[in-house]
Amino acid sequence: EKGGFEHFMIKEIFEQTRSIKDCMRGRLDSQTGRLVLGGLREYVNKLVNADRIIIVACGTSWHAGLVAEYFFEEFCRIPVEVEYASEFRYRNPIIREGDVVIAISQSGETADTLAAIELAKSKGAIIFGVCNVVGSSIARTTHAGAYTHAGPEIGVASTKAFTAQLTVLNMIALIVANKKGTITEQKLHELLVEMENIPSKVEKALQLNEQIQVVAETFKDARNFLYLGRGYNFPVALEGALKLKEISYIHAEGYPAAEMKHGPIALIDEEMPVVFIATKDSSYEKIVSNIQEVKARKGRVISIVTEGDDLIPKMSEFTIEVPAVHEALMPMVSTIPLQLLSYHIAVMRGCNVDQPRNLAKSVTVE
Ligand code: F6R
Protein backbone atom coordinates (compact mmCIF):
# COMPACT_ATOMS: atom_id res chain seq x y z
CA GLU A 1 0.00 0.00 0.00
CA LYS A 2 2.99 2.30 0.48
CA GLY A 3 4.04 1.48 -3.07
CA GLY A 4 7.62 0.61 -2.14
CA PHE A 5 8.10 3.65 0.04
CA GLU A 6 9.00 3.40 3.70
CA HIS A 7 6.28 5.75 4.89
CA PHE A 8 3.05 7.23 3.60
CA MET A 9 4.46 10.71 3.99
CA ILE A 10 7.31 10.18 1.54
CA LYS A 11 5.02 8.32 -0.85
CA GLU A 12 2.61 11.24 -0.76
CA ILE A 13 5.40 13.78 -1.23
CA PHE A 14 6.48 11.90 -4.36
CA GLU A 15 2.91 11.63 -5.60
CA GLN A 16 2.68 15.38 -6.04
CA THR A 17 3.74 15.37 -9.67
CA ARG A 18 0.70 13.24 -10.35
CA SER A 19 -1.72 14.71 -7.83
CA ILE A 20 -1.27 18.25 -9.15
CA LYS A 21 -1.82 16.96 -12.67
CA ASP A 22 -4.95 15.08 -11.55
CA CYS A 23 -6.21 18.23 -9.91
CA MET A 24 -5.99 20.15 -13.20
CA ARG A 25 -7.24 17.33 -15.44
CA GLY A 26 -10.30 18.33 -17.46
CA ARG A 27 -10.26 21.71 -15.75
CA LEU A 28 -7.37 23.59 -17.29
CA ASP A 29 -5.94 23.60 -20.78
CA SER A 30 -3.78 26.48 -21.92
CA GLN A 31 -4.03 25.56 -25.61
CA THR A 32 -7.79 25.90 -25.79
CA GLY A 33 -7.93 28.41 -22.95
CA ARG A 34 -10.18 26.03 -21.04
CA LEU A 35 -10.51 26.86 -17.37
CA VAL A 36 -13.55 25.39 -15.62
CA LEU A 37 -14.49 24.13 -12.20
CA GLY A 38 -17.87 22.42 -12.48
CA GLY A 39 -18.78 22.84 -8.83
CA LEU A 40 -18.31 26.58 -8.99
CA ARG A 41 -20.57 27.49 -11.89
CA GLU A 42 -23.83 28.21 -10.12
CA TYR A 43 -22.33 30.66 -7.65
CA VAL A 44 -19.31 31.98 -9.46
CA ASN A 45 -20.84 35.44 -9.87
CA LYS A 46 -20.98 35.78 -6.10
CA LEU A 47 -17.21 35.57 -6.14
CA VAL A 48 -16.84 37.85 -9.12
CA ASN A 49 -18.96 40.50 -7.40
CA ALA A 50 -17.61 39.93 -3.90
CA ASP A 51 -16.55 42.99 -1.93
CA ARG A 52 -14.42 40.81 0.27
CA ILE A 53 -13.38 37.19 0.53
CA ILE A 54 -12.95 35.59 3.92
CA ILE A 55 -10.92 32.39 3.97
CA VAL A 56 -11.35 30.08 6.96
CA ALA A 57 -9.15 27.07 7.67
CA CYS A 58 -6.74 25.51 10.17
CA GLY A 59 -3.11 24.41 10.05
CA THR A 60 -1.64 23.65 6.65
CA SER A 61 -4.94 24.52 4.97
CA TRP A 62 -4.71 27.95 6.59
CA HIS A 63 -1.27 28.34 5.01
CA ALA A 64 -2.78 27.54 1.61
CA GLY A 65 -5.29 30.29 2.41
CA LEU A 66 -2.48 32.77 3.01
CA VAL A 67 -0.97 32.05 -0.40
CA ALA A 68 -4.44 32.46 -1.91
CA GLU A 69 -4.78 35.85 -0.22
CA TYR A 70 -1.80 37.14 -2.19
CA PHE A 71 -3.00 35.48 -5.38
CA PHE A 72 -6.61 36.73 -5.21
CA GLU A 73 -5.57 40.24 -4.28
CA GLU A 74 -3.01 40.40 -7.07
CA PHE A 75 -5.14 39.01 -9.87
CA CYS A 76 -8.76 39.62 -8.80
CA ARG A 77 -8.25 42.86 -6.87
CA ILE A 78 -10.64 41.62 -4.18
CA PRO A 79 -9.64 42.20 -0.54
CA VAL A 80 -9.06 38.90 1.27
CA GLU A 81 -8.91 38.06 4.94
CA VAL A 82 -7.53 34.75 6.09
CA GLU A 83 -8.84 33.55 9.40
CA TYR A 84 -8.08 30.71 11.73
CA ALA A 85 -11.47 29.00 11.86
CA SER A 86 -11.19 28.72 15.64
CA GLU A 87 -10.67 32.47 16.10
CA PHE A 88 -13.27 33.46 13.55
CA ARG A 89 -16.07 31.42 15.04
CA TYR A 90 -15.71 32.61 18.61
CA ARG A 91 -15.62 36.34 18.13
CA ASN A 92 -18.94 37.35 16.59
CA PRO A 93 -17.29 38.15 13.27
CA ILE A 94 -18.61 40.84 10.96
CA ILE A 95 -20.11 39.37 7.82
CA ARG A 96 -21.67 41.80 5.39
CA GLU A 97 -23.63 41.40 2.23
CA GLY A 98 -21.05 41.00 -0.49
CA ASP A 99 -18.75 38.90 1.66
CA VAL A 100 -17.98 35.45 0.36
CA VAL A 101 -16.38 32.72 2.44
CA ILE A 102 -13.96 30.10 1.18
CA ALA A 103 -13.35 27.18 3.56
CA ILE A 104 -10.30 25.01 2.97
CA SER A 105 -9.99 21.54 4.48
CA GLN A 106 -8.23 18.39 3.41
CA SER A 107 -10.34 16.05 5.55
CA GLY A 108 -13.52 18.07 5.31
CA GLU A 109 -14.15 17.11 8.94
CA THR A 110 -12.24 19.70 10.96
CA ALA A 111 -14.60 20.74 13.76
CA ASP A 112 -13.56 24.40 13.97
CA THR A 113 -13.74 24.89 10.21
CA LEU A 114 -17.15 23.26 10.07
CA ALA A 115 -18.43 25.45 12.91
CA ALA A 116 -17.02 28.58 11.22
CA ILE A 117 -18.89 27.67 8.05
CA GLU A 118 -22.13 27.16 9.91
CA LEU A 119 -21.76 30.48 11.65
CA ALA A 120 -21.06 32.33 8.39
CA LYS A 121 -23.97 30.56 6.76
CA SER A 122 -26.33 31.61 9.54
CA LYS A 123 -25.29 35.21 8.83
CA GLY A 124 -26.22 34.82 5.19
CA ALA A 125 -22.82 34.28 3.58
CA ILE A 126 -22.25 32.13 0.52
CA ILE A 127 -19.63 29.48 1.24
CA PHE A 128 -17.24 27.80 -1.18
CA GLY A 129 -15.43 24.67 -0.10
CA VAL A 130 -12.01 23.41 -1.14
CA CYS A 131 -11.88 19.86 0.20
CA ASN A 132 -10.00 16.71 -0.58
CA VAL A 133 -12.32 14.10 0.87
CA VAL A 134 -15.33 13.62 -1.37
CA GLY A 135 -18.66 13.68 0.46
CA SER A 136 -17.08 14.93 3.70
CA SER A 137 -19.06 17.07 6.13
CA ILE A 138 -17.55 20.33 4.90
CA ALA A 139 -18.06 19.39 1.27
CA ARG A 140 -21.71 18.75 2.04
CA THR A 141 -22.28 21.92 4.06
CA THR A 142 -20.88 24.42 1.56
CA HIS A 143 -22.97 25.98 -1.23
CA ALA A 144 -20.42 25.30 -3.93
CA GLY A 145 -16.84 24.24 -4.25
CA ALA A 146 -14.15 22.24 -5.93
CA TYR A 147 -12.41 19.09 -4.85
CA THR A 148 -8.64 18.91 -4.77
CA HIS A 149 -8.58 15.31 -6.10
CA ALA A 150 -5.21 14.61 -4.46
CA GLY A 151 -6.28 11.09 -3.52
CA PRO A 152 -6.31 9.78 0.05
CA GLU A 153 -3.74 11.43 2.28
CA ILE A 154 -2.75 8.98 5.01
CA GLY A 155 0.33 10.59 6.56
CA VAL A 156 -0.75 12.96 9.31
CA ALA A 157 1.50 15.69 7.93
CA SER A 158 -0.31 17.28 5.03
CA THR A 159 1.78 17.40 1.86
CA LYS A 160 0.05 16.58 -1.43
CA ALA A 161 -3.22 18.04 -0.13
CA PHE A 162 -1.46 21.39 0.33
CA THR A 163 -0.16 21.63 -3.24
CA ALA A 164 -3.54 20.51 -4.57
CA GLN A 165 -5.27 23.18 -2.48
CA LEU A 166 -2.98 25.78 -4.03
CA THR A 167 -3.78 24.43 -7.48
CA VAL A 168 -7.54 24.69 -6.93
CA LEU A 169 -7.35 28.11 -5.29
CA ASN A 170 -5.27 29.42 -8.17
CA MET A 171 -7.78 28.08 -10.67
CA ILE A 172 -10.67 29.68 -8.77
CA ALA A 173 -8.84 33.01 -8.67
CA LEU A 174 -8.01 32.90 -12.38
CA ILE A 175 -11.61 32.11 -13.29
CA VAL A 176 -12.76 35.07 -11.21
CA ALA A 177 -10.03 37.38 -12.53
CA ASN A 178 -10.96 36.45 -16.09
CA LYS A 179 -14.65 37.14 -15.52
CA LYS A 180 -13.92 40.37 -13.69
CA GLY A 181 -11.50 41.54 -16.34
CA THR A 182 -8.74 42.15 -13.80
CA ILE A 183 -6.30 40.04 -15.79
CA THR A 184 -5.27 40.45 -19.41
CA GLU A 185 -5.74 37.58 -21.86
CA GLN A 186 -2.02 37.43 -22.30
CA LYS A 187 -1.28 37.23 -18.57
CA LEU A 188 -3.97 34.60 -18.12
CA HIS A 189 -2.51 32.51 -20.90
CA GLU A 190 0.95 32.86 -19.44
CA LEU A 191 -0.25 31.68 -16.02
CA LEU A 192 -2.19 28.74 -17.48
CA VAL A 193 0.95 27.60 -19.28
CA GLU A 194 2.93 28.01 -16.07
CA MET A 195 0.32 26.00 -14.15
CA GLU A 196 0.58 23.17 -16.67
CA ASN A 197 4.34 23.18 -16.22
CA ILE A 198 4.16 22.90 -12.44
CA PRO A 199 4.08 19.07 -12.32
CA SER A 200 7.34 18.82 -14.25
CA LYS A 201 8.91 21.46 -12.01
CA VAL A 202 7.74 19.59 -8.93
CA GLU A 203 9.32 16.50 -10.46
CA LYS A 204 12.62 18.36 -10.69
CA ALA A 205 12.30 19.57 -7.11
CA LEU A 206 11.77 15.96 -6.02
CA GLN A 207 15.11 15.07 -7.56
CA LEU A 208 16.69 17.15 -4.80
CA ASN A 209 15.88 14.35 -2.39
CA GLU A 210 19.43 13.06 -1.97
CA GLN A 211 20.91 16.49 -1.63
CA ILE A 212 18.38 17.31 1.06
CA GLN A 213 19.34 14.21 3.01
CA VAL A 214 22.80 15.71 3.42
CA VAL A 215 21.26 18.88 4.84
CA ALA A 216 19.05 16.79 7.12
CA GLU A 217 22.03 14.81 8.38
CA THR A 218 23.86 18.05 9.20
CA PHE A 219 21.02 19.63 11.15
CA LYS A 220 19.10 16.67 12.58
CA ASP A 221 20.25 17.44 16.14
CA ALA A 222 19.38 21.12 16.04
CA ARG A 223 17.06 22.26 18.80
CA ASN A 224 15.57 25.16 16.89
CA PHE A 225 14.98 26.21 13.31
CA LEU A 226 13.94 29.46 11.75
CA TYR A 227 12.20 29.66 8.34
CA LEU A 228 12.06 32.99 6.55
CA GLY A 229 10.39 34.08 3.34
CA ARG A 230 8.77 37.14 1.83
CA GLY A 231 5.74 37.64 -0.40
CA TYR A 232 4.39 34.41 -1.82
CA ASN A 233 7.12 32.53 0.01
CA PHE A 234 6.13 33.85 3.43
CA PRO A 235 3.35 31.24 3.89
CA VAL A 236 5.83 28.65 2.60
CA ALA A 237 8.11 29.57 5.52
CA LEU A 238 5.22 29.02 7.95
CA GLU A 239 4.41 25.71 6.31
CA GLY A 240 8.06 24.57 6.37
CA ALA A 241 8.24 25.29 10.10
CA LEU A 242 4.96 23.52 10.82
CA LYS A 243 6.06 20.42 8.90
CA LEU A 244 9.30 20.25 10.85
CA LYS A 245 7.82 20.73 14.30
CA GLU A 246 4.92 18.34 13.89
CA ILE A 247 6.94 15.33 12.77
CA SER A 248 10.45 15.86 14.16
CA TYR A 249 9.51 17.69 17.40
CA ILE A 250 12.17 20.30 16.75
CA HIS A 251 11.02 23.77 17.67
CA ALA A 252 10.68 25.78 14.48
CA GLU A 253 9.27 29.17 13.66
CA GLY A 254 8.29 30.66 10.36
CA TYR A 255 8.39 34.40 9.89
CA PRO A 256 8.15 36.98 7.15
CA ALA A 257 11.85 37.72 6.67
CA ALA A 258 11.42 41.44 7.28
CA GLU A 259 9.91 40.81 10.71
CA MET A 260 13.14 39.20 11.88
CA LYS A 261 14.56 42.50 13.02
CA HIS A 262 11.55 43.05 15.26
CA GLY A 263 12.43 40.20 17.58
CA PRO A 264 13.48 36.80 16.24
CA ILE A 265 16.92 38.11 15.24
CA ALA A 266 17.78 37.89 18.94
CA LEU A 267 17.65 34.10 18.61
CA ILE A 268 20.39 33.92 16.02
CA ASP A 269 23.75 32.51 17.03
CA GLU A 270 26.24 30.06 15.52
CA GLU A 271 23.94 27.15 16.27
CA MET A 272 20.77 28.46 14.65
CA PRO A 273 19.81 26.97 11.27
CA VAL A 274 17.91 29.54 9.24
CA VAL A 275 16.09 28.36 6.14
CA PHE A 276 15.58 31.14 3.61
CA ILE A 277 13.05 30.63 0.86
CA ALA A 278 14.73 33.12 -1.44
CA THR A 279 13.72 32.41 -5.00
CA LYS A 280 14.08 35.07 -7.73
CA ASP A 281 11.03 37.27 -7.35
CA SER A 282 10.05 40.84 -6.64
CA SER A 283 11.43 40.70 -3.09
CA TYR A 284 14.74 39.08 -4.04
CA GLU A 285 16.98 42.08 -3.23
CA LYS A 286 15.29 42.49 0.10
CA ILE A 287 15.76 38.92 1.15
CA VAL A 288 19.42 39.07 0.17
CA SER A 289 19.82 41.79 2.83
CA ASN A 290 18.02 39.58 5.34
CA ILE A 291 20.47 36.77 4.61
CA GLN A 292 23.34 39.19 5.22
CA GLU A 293 21.83 40.13 8.57
CA VAL A 294 21.71 36.48 9.62
CA LYS A 295 25.26 35.84 8.36
CA ALA A 296 26.54 38.81 10.33
CA ARG A 297 25.25 37.08 13.47
CA LYS A 298 26.83 33.76 12.48
CA GLY A 299 23.53 31.99 11.80
CA ARG A 300 23.77 28.86 9.62
CA VAL A 301 22.09 29.68 6.34
CA ILE A 302 20.25 27.11 4.23
CA SER A 303 18.76 28.69 1.11
CA ILE A 304 16.12 27.61 -1.34
CA VAL A 305 16.94 29.55 -4.51
CA THR A 306 16.03 29.64 -8.18
CA GLU A 307 18.28 27.60 -10.48
CA GLY A 308 21.20 29.64 -11.72
CA ASP A 309 21.30 32.06 -8.79
CA ASP A 310 24.96 32.92 -8.35
CA LEU A 311 24.73 35.32 -5.42
CA ILE A 312 22.89 33.60 -2.58
CA PRO A 313 24.88 30.34 -2.79
CA LYS A 314 28.00 32.33 -1.86
CA MET A 315 26.25 33.46 1.30
CA SER A 316 24.86 30.06 2.28
CA GLU A 317 26.19 26.95 3.96
CA PHE A 318 23.74 24.90 1.91
CA THR A 319 21.89 25.88 -1.23
CA ILE A 320 18.97 24.04 -2.76
CA GLU A 321 18.05 25.04 -6.31
CA VAL A 322 14.48 24.79 -7.56
CA PRO A 323 13.35 25.46 -11.15
CA ALA A 324 12.26 28.97 -12.10
CA VAL A 325 8.52 29.59 -12.04
CA HIS A 326 6.24 32.64 -11.90
CA GLU A 327 6.43 33.98 -8.36
CA ALA A 328 2.70 33.55 -7.75
CA LEU A 329 3.06 29.82 -8.41
CA MET A 330 6.36 29.34 -6.65
CA PRO A 331 4.85 28.02 -3.38
CA MET A 332 3.85 24.80 -5.17
CA VAL A 333 7.52 24.22 -5.98
CA SER A 334 9.41 25.85 -3.11
CA THR A 335 7.45 23.89 -0.52
CA ILE A 336 8.72 20.55 -1.89
CA PRO A 337 12.30 20.72 -0.50
CA LEU A 338 10.89 21.77 2.88
CA GLN A 339 8.61 18.73 2.99
CA LEU A 340 11.59 16.53 2.16
CA LEU A 341 13.79 18.21 4.75
CA SER A 342 11.33 17.69 7.58
CA TYR A 343 10.69 14.12 6.49
CA HIS A 344 14.36 13.15 6.50
CA ILE A 345 15.13 14.91 9.76
CA ALA A 346 12.20 13.13 11.43
CA VAL A 347 13.29 9.72 10.09
CA MET A 348 16.89 10.32 11.20
CA ARG A 349 15.63 11.19 14.69
CA GLY A 350 13.66 7.95 14.82
CA CYS A 351 10.27 9.65 14.88
CA ASN A 352 7.03 8.08 13.76
CA VAL A 353 6.56 10.32 10.73
CA ASP A 354 3.19 9.01 9.64
CA GLN A 355 1.66 9.20 13.08
CA PRO A 356 3.38 11.84 15.15
CA ARG A 357 2.57 11.93 18.85
CA ASN A 358 -0.47 13.90 19.99
CA LEU A 359 -1.78 14.44 16.46
CA ALA A 360 -4.76 13.04 14.57
CA LYS A 361 -5.45 13.16 10.85
CA SER A 362 -8.85 14.79 11.27
CA VAL A 363 -9.27 17.13 14.17
CA THR A 364 -12.93 16.57 14.99
CA VAL A 365 -12.60 17.98 18.48
CA GLU A 366 -12.74 21.70 19.20
C1 F6R B 1 -0.42 19.79 9.18
C2 F6R B 1 -1.75 19.25 9.32
C3 F6R B 1 -2.79 20.03 10.06
C4 F6R B 1 -4.03 20.18 9.19
C5 F6R B 1 -5.17 20.85 9.96
C6 F6R B 1 -6.36 21.12 9.09
O1 F6R B 1 0.39 18.97 8.44
O2 F6R B 1 -2.03 18.21 8.81
O3 F6R B 1 -2.30 21.29 10.45
O4 F6R B 1 -3.68 20.92 8.06
O5 F6R B 1 -5.53 20.04 11.05
O6 F6R B 1 -6.89 19.92 8.59
P1 F6R B 1 -7.91 19.90 7.39
O7 F6R B 1 -7.23 20.45 6.20
O8 F6R B 1 -8.28 18.46 7.23
O9 F6R B 1 -9.07 20.76 7.78
Side-chain angles (χ1 to χ4, degrees):
E1 51 182 359
K2 290 182 197 143
F5 288 95
E6 209 179 326
H7 301 98
F8 283 110
M9 183 180 175
I10 190 73
K11 168 175 175 269
E12 289 162 2
I13 290 174
F14 273 85
E15 269 171 11
Q16 287 174 108
T17 312
R18 208 205 60 223
S19 55
I20 296 172
K21 220 180 275 167
D22 287 347
C23 181
M24 292 188 286
R25 180 164 300 122
R27 294 167 157 182
L28 185 156
D29 181 354
S30 68
Q31 293 219 317
T32 58
R34 179 180 171 84
L35 181 60
V36 281
L37 289 168
L40 224 63
R41 216 170 279 141
E42 200 182 336
Y43 288 96
V44 73
N45 284 332
K46 292 280 178 195
L47 268 171
V48 172
N49 299 317
D51 295 320
R52 179 171 72 147
I53 294 171
I54 302 169
I55 296 180
V56 294
C58 305
T60 290
S61 298
W62 184 77
H63 296 154
L66 286 180
V67 176
E69 172 182 16
Y70 285 54
F71 201 99
F72 270 90
E73 292 200 346
E74 178 169 1
F75 297 108
C76 307
R77 306 307 297 156
I78 301 172
V80 178
E81 275 170 43
V82 190
E83 303 265 6
Y84 284 116
S86 56
E87 286 299 314
F88 178 81
R89 62 178 287 207
Y90 287 119
R91 67 150 199 274
N92 191 15
I94 298 168
I95 298 172
R96 291 167 299 215
E97 223 184 294
D99 285 345
V100 170
V101 172
I102 300 179
I104 310 170
S105 175
Q106 186 286 130
S107 63
E109 302 297 343
T110 302
D112 281 322
T113 309
L114 194 54
I117 293 168
E118 260 142 25
L119 175 68
K121 235 177 156 179
S122 73
K123 292 180 181 249
I126 292 291
I127 327 278
F128 288 81
V130 176
C131 294
N132 193 43
V133 177
V134 176
S136 56
S137 304
I138 293 175
R140 282 184 279 116
T141 320
T142 45
H143 295 99
Y147 284 113
T148 44
H149 295 310
E153 192 180 64
I154 313 283
V156 162
S158 190
T159 54
K160 64 174 178 170
F162 177 67
T163 46
Q165 287 165 344
L166 297 178
T167 309
V168 165
L169 289 161
N170 292 346
M171 287 192 285
I172 297 175
L174 292 177
I175 290 171
V176 172
N178 190 30
K179 285 198 190 291
K180 266 190 85 137
T182 46
I183 192 167
T184 61
E185 295 247 329
Q186 190 194 341
K187 186 90 211 160
L188 178 65
H189 179 73
E190 184 195 321
L191 284 167
L192 294 184
V193 173
E194 281 277 84
M195 292 274 288
E196 281 172 332
N197 288 333
I198 293 290
S200 68
K201 292 186 180 178
V202 164
E203 180 75 44
K204 279 193 117 184
L206 289 167
Q207 288 164 11
L208 297 162
N209 195 33
E210 277 177 28
Q211 196 191 331
I212 290 168
Q213 287 180 47
V214 179
V215 183
E217 187 60 46
T218 309
F219 293 102
K220 66 179 192 305
D221 297 318
R223 299 188 53 213
N224 299 285
F225 256 84
L226 203 53
Y227 286 75
L228 301 173
R230 301 178 79 119
Y232 283 98
N233 279 325
F234 154 53
V236 176
L238 298 184
E239 175 58 11
L242 176 62
K243 278 302 75 103
L244 186 69
K245 64 190 134 188
E246 68 179 330
I247 61 166
S248 74
Y249 319 137
I250 295 174
H251 169 240
E253 288 194 54
Y255 257 93
E259 272 294 304
M260 194 179 56
K261 56 183 168 300
H262 300 286
I265 199 162
L267 292 166
I268 294 169
D269 61 14
E270 59 285 339
E271 283 178 24
M272 179 64 112
V274 185
V275 179
F276 277 96
I277 304 100
T279 49
K280 277 262 164 72
D281 59 22
S282 45
S283 41
Y284 179 78
E285 308 294 327
K286 297 283 174 192
I287 206 156
V288 166
S289 327
N290 298 135
I291 297 175
Q292 270 152 353
E293 287 153 17
V294 167
K295 290 267 308 167
R297 287 157 187 88
K298 305 204 161 48
R300 301 185 67 179
V301 175
I302 304 153
S303 301
I304 314 292
V305 303
T306 305
E307 257 168 22
D309 187 321
D310 49 15
L311 175 62
I312 294 181
K314 292 189 193 122
M315 305 162 64
S316 312
E317 185 175 341
F318 288 96
T319 308
I320 294 160
E321 290 194 358
V322 295
V325 51
H326 188 289
E327 67 174 27
L329 306 178
M330 186 49 99
M332 288 188 272
V333 178
S334 57
T335 202
I336 306 290
L338 305 185
Q339 294 171 347
L340 290 168
L341 181 63
S342 56
Y343 171 77
H344 289 299
I345 289 179
V347 170
M348 287 170 189
R349 287 167 71 97
C351 300
N352 183 347
V353 289
D354 282 338
Q355 273 180 306
R357 67 188 183 201
N358 311 338
L359 287 170
K361 187 65 186 162
S362 326
V363 185
T364 51
V365 291
E366 303 188 348

